[in-house]
């Protein structure tokens, strides 16, 4: 019996694959290469078992890690050298082994407190090894290597970049900065085929490299991205972002088209709930954050590169779609797709992850709204697009039919008005409102400066801002304890002041200007209440005294208009023995009494503080990039390669 057991036991040992046996011996510190001169040549002809490789390394405690360190160094070095081998299957297996090795060592070094560089290659040879590794990566990505091989190479680079949650504390990246892969990545974006195969990974990789110590030292990727003027590459970069956002929008639109039943509440739950309001917080956050990588990429390009702005409104071609998917015949562009995407994600700001996504959207819009060329494109009446903006279903409003083709500026203003109208809640997202009103202000400043007369339903914008003021007044007791609502109200009043002072230079017609005065007079009670509230807080010592005083002073012209026209309208009504005049009758009184109105000239209405990321938003982007790093890390799959597909891709294997 005993001999049979030994025999059985031996059989079990023999069933273990050779590569697994090698891993087990190797990480115990055994020198397998000394016993077999052909060890490394043979190793890279064996298909890696990446799960076993990772688990063997993760099983090591601190003492065992020190014992195995020399072998790990040797394996890392041999993998790098094999990347230059003409036998492409060896290259594939070396890349897979490197991926598993780097992934596992990052996890282990974090647990044991060792430096990842020391474990992988030793400090003395780190620069030399990394230069060789990146040189081989450049060769693979630049050459005519099969798509699967290039894809694996990009996954390796992404693993290196995402090893540490904080990309700026990733010591491996100090060495990645030594030899540039920027030109190689740009070349992949310039080629239509490689863009479809690898575009998403390339854009993510560039974005993460740009965020390495971006405010501390000279980062070559920031410099190179900011001066890039290759139109093909910039268009390719934009297309990759556009494809990702389009997929998201298409899925959401399809979800909306599915049969709805029940009350407005169930409709809301069906439309928004599946994407945002899931009970499973993890799933909800994952859905919201799904596109944050490309969103940060869009931000970096718009923020850093003036040349990129010219690609925003160019008609984009979509990648091939499955036969059963819905395609649109409408021309699309990155800016229009981004507006539609914003209209979806802006519907929910309740949890931190979704709030941050919406903030990121507004920061992109802020950069766009400050750019002169972007504004000229958005206001170009020869560039019109039919863009579907999604609106949050609410009980008190009817469904508005989709608007026809219009300028991008019209669509952007519609998006901003929609945000203002749909986020008046007890937990007011003040920061988002300030960003929203800031974008609105920048657009109007451009129109005033360039005397652009946009055909727009301005009453919708004025109504939304007056509604916001009404909400602030109604909830003053609750809100003023938690936030500076006077600052927001001041920004809103300044927009009205911009219209009052300069409206004749950019409103489409004199009738628009008359309508503005009509709305101010009609809703005078709201402005009176804002003044009363501001005056109260400006008269007492408190946190918001100074801002309340600014708000009080900013109302001088609005109050002058109300105080000038109201008695004249009352006198006219009394003379006509009317109690309910028509809008036209009121407007007629307004027109006849413009000349006797005296307004105070207010300074700096068309000025704003230019956007800067550092220091105000640097902590936000550190957290956002950390989130992108974690999400990217979870989605790097280097294990499940289709070997048959790879073999077919290789024209010859020696």
């Amino acid at each position: 019996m005993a001999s049979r057991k030994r025999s059985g036991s031996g059989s079990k040992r023999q069933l273990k694959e050779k590569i697994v046996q090698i891993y087990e011996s190797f990480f115990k510190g055994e020198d397998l290469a000394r016993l077999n001169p052909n060890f490394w040549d043979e190793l890279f002809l064996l298909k890696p078992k990446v799960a076993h490789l990772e688990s063997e390394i993760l099983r090591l405690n601190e003492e065992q890690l020190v014992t195995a360190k020399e072998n790990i160094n040797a394996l890392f070095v041999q993998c790098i050298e094999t990347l230059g081998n003409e036998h492409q299957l060896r290259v594939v297996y070396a890349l897979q082994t490197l991926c598993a090795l780097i992934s596992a060592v990052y996890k282990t070094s974090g647990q044991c407190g060792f430096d990842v560089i020391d474990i992988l290659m030793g400090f003395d040879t780190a620069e030399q090894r990394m230069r060789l590794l990146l040189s081989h990566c450049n060769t693979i990505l630049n050459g005519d290597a099969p798509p699967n091989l290039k894809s694996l190479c990009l996954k390796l680079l992404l693993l290196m970049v995402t090893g540490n949650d904080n990309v700026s504390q990733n010591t491996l990246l100090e060495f990645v900065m030594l030899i540039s892969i920027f030109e190689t990545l740009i070349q992949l974006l310039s080629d239509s085929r490689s863009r479809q195969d690898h575009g998403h990974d390339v854009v993510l990789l560039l974005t993460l490299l740009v965020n390495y110590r971006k405010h501390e030292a000279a980062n070559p990727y920031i410099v190179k991205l900011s001066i890039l003027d290759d139109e093909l590459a910039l268009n390719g970069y934009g297309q990759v972002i556009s494809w990702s956002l389009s997929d998201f929008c298409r899925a959401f639109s399809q979800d909306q088209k599915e049969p709805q039943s029940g009350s407005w509440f169930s409709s809301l739950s069906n439309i928004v709930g599946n994407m945002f309001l899931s009970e499973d917080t993890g799933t909800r956050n994952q859905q919201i954050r799904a596109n944050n990588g490309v969103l940060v990429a869009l931000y970096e390009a718009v923020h850093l590169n003036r040349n990129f702005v010219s690609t925003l409104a160019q008609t984009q071609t979509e990648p091939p779609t499955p036969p059963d998917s819905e395609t649109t015949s409408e021309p699309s562009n990155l800016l229009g797709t981004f507006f539609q995407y914003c209209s979806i994600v802006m519907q929910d700001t309740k949890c931190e992850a979704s709030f941050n996504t919406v903030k990121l959207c507004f920061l992109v819009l802020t950069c766009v709204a400050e750019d002169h060329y972007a504004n000229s494109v958005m206001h170009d009446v020869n560039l019109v697009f039919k863009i579907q903006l999604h609106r949050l279903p609410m009980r008190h409003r009817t469904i508005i039919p989709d608007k026809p083709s219009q300028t991008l500026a019209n669509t952007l203003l519609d998006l901003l008005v929609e945000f203002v109208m749909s986020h008046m809640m007890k937990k007011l997202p003040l920061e988002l409102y300030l960003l929203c009103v800031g974008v609105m202000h920048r657009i109007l400043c451009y129109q005033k400066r360039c005397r652009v007369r946009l055909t727009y339903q301005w009453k919708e914008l004025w109504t939304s801002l007056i509604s916001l003021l009404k909400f602030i007044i109604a909830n003053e007791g609750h809100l003023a304890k938690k936030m500076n609502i006077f600052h927001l109200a001041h920004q809103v009043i300044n927009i009205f002041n911009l219209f009052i002072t300069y409206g004749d230079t950019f409103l489409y017609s004199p009738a628009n200007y008359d309508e503005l005065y009509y709305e101010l007079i009609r809703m005078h009670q709201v402005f009176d209440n804002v003044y009363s509230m501001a005056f109260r807080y400006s008269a007492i010592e408190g946190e918001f005294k100074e801002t309340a005083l600014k708000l009080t002073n900013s109302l001088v012209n609005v109050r002058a208009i109300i105080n000038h026209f109201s008695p004249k309208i009352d006198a006219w009504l009394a003379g006509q023995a009317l109690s309910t005049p028509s809008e036209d009758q009121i407007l007629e009184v307004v027109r006849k009494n413009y000349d006797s109105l005296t307004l105070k000239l207010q300074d700096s209405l068309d000025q704003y503080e230019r956007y800067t990321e550092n220091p105000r938003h640097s902590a936000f982007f550190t957290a956002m990039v950390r989130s992108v790093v974690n999400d990217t890390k979870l989605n790097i799959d280097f294990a499940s390669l289709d070997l048959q597909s790879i073999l077919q891709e290789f024209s010859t294997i020696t």
Side-chain angles (χ1 to χ4, degrees):
M1 290 290 285
S3 63
R4 275 202 296 273
K5 280 183 181 176
R6 280 197 298 274
S7 172
S9 174
S11 299
K12 283 181 182 175
R13 278 200 299 273
Q14 288 166 8
L15 286 171
K16 196 176 284 184
E17 288 185 60
K18 184 177 180 181
I19 190 76
V20 175
Q21 292 176 23
I22 289 172
Y23 294 155
E24 288 178 354
S25 303
F26 199 74
F27 295 117
K28 285 175 186 171
E30 294 178 22
D31 188 354
L32 301 180
R34 184 176 58 82
L35 302 172
N36 177 5
N38 298 318
F39 171 73
W40 296 112
D41 283 339
E42 292 172 6
L43 179 69
F44 294 113
L45 283 176
L46 297 172
K47 188 175 188 299
K49 290 278 183 184
V50 294
H52 282 283
L53 177 56
E54 283 203 69
S55 64
E56 285 298 321
I57 295 175
L58 291 171
R59 198 178 289 144
L60 302 174
N61 59 32
E62 289 185 43
E63 188 180 329
Q64 291 167 327
L65 194 59
V66 171
T67 304
K69 193 179 92 168
E70 194 173 324
N71 274 355
I72 292 174
N73 281 183
L75 179 57
F76 187 78
V77 170
Q78 290 298 328
C79 283
I80 292 173
E81 291 186 357
T82 305
L83 295 184
N85 198 292
E86 357 179 286
H87 196 314
Q88 288 191 306
L89 194 58
R90 277 196 172 111
V91 177
V92 170
Y93 289 166
L95 273 171
Q96 266 195 306
T97 305
L98 266 176
C99 286
L101 192 58
I102 289 171
S103 174
V105 167
Y106 263 123
K107 293 171 188 171
T108 308
S109 63
Q111 293 164 7
C112 299
F114 287 99
D115 193 293
V116 65
I117 293 171
D118 189 32
I119 300 173
L120 284 174
M121 49 189 152
F123 292 115
D124 294 342
T125 56
E127 182 176 334
Q128 178 191 348
R129 301 301 177 202
M130 285 302 296
R131 283 185 181 278
L132 185 57
L133 172 57
L134 292 169
S135 175
H136 283 314
C137 287
N138 270 328
T139 302
I140 292 168
L141 294 171
N142 271 322
D144 56 359
N148 266 302
L149 189 54
K150 290 186 177 184
S151 176
L152 196 54
C153 189
L154 287 166
K155 284 178 170 57
L156 169 67
L157 293 168
L158 277 170
L159 275 167
M160 288 162 60
V161 173
T162 60
N164 191 309
D165 289 353
N166 185 334
V167 71
S168 294
Q169 292 174 0
N170 186 343
T171 50
L172 205 55
L173 290 196
E174 289 179 31
F175 298 95
V176 173
M177 293 288 150
L178 294 175
I179 181 165
S180 177
I181 56 169
F182 182 86
E183 291 73 17
T184 298
L185 297 177
I186 290 305
Q187 187 56 42
L188 288 170
L189 289 177
S190 301
D191 178 76
S192 60
R193 180 67 218 175
S194 63
R195 180 163 64 245
Q196 284 186 34
D197 289 338
H198 314 297
H200 189 267
D201 283 353
V202 169
V203 166
L204 265 182
L205 190 53
L206 273 172
T207 303
L208 295 174
L209 288 168
V210 162
N211 278 278
Y212 174 71
R213 297 186 182 174
K214 67 194 303 190
H215 301 303
E216 296 171 31
N219 177 328
Y221 289 87
I222 292 178
V223 176
K224 289 181 179 185
L225 182 60
S226 64
I227 61 173
L228 180 67
D229 61 357
D230 181 334
E231 193 177 343
L232 268 178
L234 291 170
N235 279 332
Y237 188 105
Q239 274 193 349
V240 172
I241 297 167
S242 193
W243 292 342
S244 293
L245 300 185
S246 294
D247 285 347
F248 183 90
C249 294
R250 196 179 296 115
F252 184 86
S253 296
Q254 189 58 42
D255 194 47
Q256 274 194 311
K257 286 176 185 172
E258 289 177 4
Q260 308 282 323
S261 63
S263 66
W264 70 275
F265 182 78
S266 70
S267 174
L268 166 63
S269 300
N270 284 332
I271 294 171
V272 184
N274 292 337
M275 303 202 78
F276 302 120
L277 306 178
S278 162
E279 289 178 9
D280 182 345
T281 305
T283 305
R284 178 187 63 201
N285 288 349
Q286 189 181 354
Q287 289 162 339
I288 292 170
R289 292 174 357 188
N291 281 295
N292 278 357
V294 292
L295 209 55
V296 175
L298 174 60
Y299 165 79
E300 295 297 356
V302 170
H303 180 225
L304 293 173
N305 190 303
R306 294 294 305 277
N307 302 314
F308 181 74
V309 174
S310 64
T311 73
L312 288 174
Q314 289 194 11
T315 302
Q316 301 275 355
T317 55
E318 298 203 14
T321 50
D324 57 344
S325 70
E326 292 199 3
T327 54
T328 173
S329 58
E330 291 288 340
S332 65
N333 61 79
L334 175 52
L335 209 47
T337 302
F338 176 58
F339 291 165
Q340 186 184 7
Y341 175 78
C342 287
S343 74
I344 297 170
V345 298
M346 283 179 180
Q347 291 183 21
D348 175 48
T349 58
K350 291 183 181 68
C351 75
E352 186 182 3
S354 53
F355 181 98
N356 287 339
T357 299
V358 178
K359 177 177 175 178
L360 181 52
C361 287
F362 273 126
L363 293 180
V364 173
L365 291 174
T366 301
C367 294
V368 169
E370 284 190 5
D371 188 274
H372 183 85
Y373 182 78
N375 267 304
S376 67
V377 167
M378 290 194 294
H379 287 84
D380 188 343
V381 293
N382 297 309
L383 275 176
V384 294
F385 299 92
K386 185 176 171 62
I387 297 160
Q388 182 186 9
L389 295 183
H390 299 272
R391 291 158 54 92
L392 190 66
M394 290 200 266
R395 182 186 292 191
H396 64 271
R397 65 179 183 184
T398 55
I399 294 173
I400 297 175
D402 290 341
K403 293 198 175 184
S405 295
Q406 57 180 6
T407 69
L408 290 164
N410 283 64
T411 302
L412 175 53
L413 287 170
D414 286 344
L415 175 69
L416 300 173
V417 166
E418 170 60 18
F419 182 86
V420 171
M421 291 299 290
S422 58
H423 290 81
M424 292 177 235
M425 55 188 81
K426 209 166 184 186
K427 193 178 177 183
L428 189 76
L430 179 71
E431 185 181 14
L432 300 183
Y433 264 109
L434 287 169
L435 288 168
C436 176
V437 173
V439 175
M440 204 179 274
H441 183 231
R442 284 161 172 78
I443 296 295
L444 294 172
C445 288
Y446 170 81
Q447 292 174 10
K448 179 261 172 185
R449 191 166 58 247
C450 298
R451 295 180 175 264
V452 175
R453 298 187 185 275
L454 189 71
T455 309
Y456 188 71
Q457 295 294 322
W458 291 110
K459 187 179 175 182
E460 291 181 12
L461 186 143
W462 300 329
T463 300
S464 72
L465 294 178
I466 292 170
S467 298
L468 178 57
L469 292 175
K470 279 172 75 174
F471 177 82
I472 289 171
I473 295 158
N475 295 274
E476 169 218 324
H478 163 72
L479 295 174
K481 292 173 185 171
K482 299 186 173 185
M483 60 188 75
N484 191 347
I485 50 174
F486 306 96
H487 183 41
L488 176 58
H490 180 246
Q491 300 292 81
V492 169
I493 296 299
N494 269 353
I495 286 184
F496 279 107
N497 284 330
L498 193 65
F499 278 106
I500 292 166
T501 310
Y502 302 112
D504 58 330
T505 66
F506 66 86
L507 286 171
Y508 188 70
S509 70
N512 287 146
Y513 199 66
D514 298 339
E515 193 174 37
L516 167 67
Y517 275 62
Y518 175 78
E519 286 303 308
L520 293 174
I521 296 160
R522 187 174 73 87
M523 303 303 292
H524 70 89
Q525 191 67 55
V526 175
F527 296 99
D528 291 344
N529 291 341
V530 171
Y531 180 81
S532 299
M533 176 185 76
F535 186 77
R536 270 188 289 113
Y537 281 84
S538 67
I540 56 171
E541 289 303 322
E543 186 183 354
F544 305 129
K545 178 184 172 101
E546 190 180 332
T547 327
L549 187 60
K550 275 187 187 174
L551 175 56
T552 308
N553 294 334
S554 70
L555 280 157
V556 59
N557 282 342
V558 175
R559 285 168 56 75
I561 290 166
I562 292 166
N563 293 335
H564 175 75
F565 287 104
S566 294
K568 298 190 184 305
I569 291 166
D570 291 341
W572 184 85
L573 290 174
Q576 300 292 319
L578 281 171
S579 59
T580 53
S582 67
E583 182 176 338
D584 287 340
Q585 288 171 323
I586 297 289
L587 287 172
E588 187 58 34
V589 178
V590 169
R591 289 187 198 104
K592 285 180 178 174
N593 289 281
Y594 273 134
D595 291 345
S596 54
L597 172 66
T598 304
L599 295 176
K600 186 179 177 184
L601 189 62
Q602 293 177 303
D603 295 329
S604 307
L605 293 175
D606 58 343
Q607 303 295 314
Y608 52 81
E609 187 183 344
R610 296 284 298 181
Y611 171 79
T612 52
E613 179 184 318
N614 191 35
R616 184 180 295 177
H617 301 291
S618 51
F620 167 77
F621 278 102
T622 299
M624 184 58 74
V625 171
R626 186 190 294 266
S627 164
V628 171
V629 164
N630 285 323
D631 290 346
T632 303
K633 203 185 318 187
L634 290 172
N635 291 310
I636 300 173
D637 178 13
F638 54 86
S640 56
L641 280 179
D642 182 352
L643 189 58
Q644 195 59 40
S645 166
I646 289 173
L647 292 173
Q648 285 173 357
E649 284 179 349
F650 295 153
S651 52
T652 55
I653 296 181
T654 54

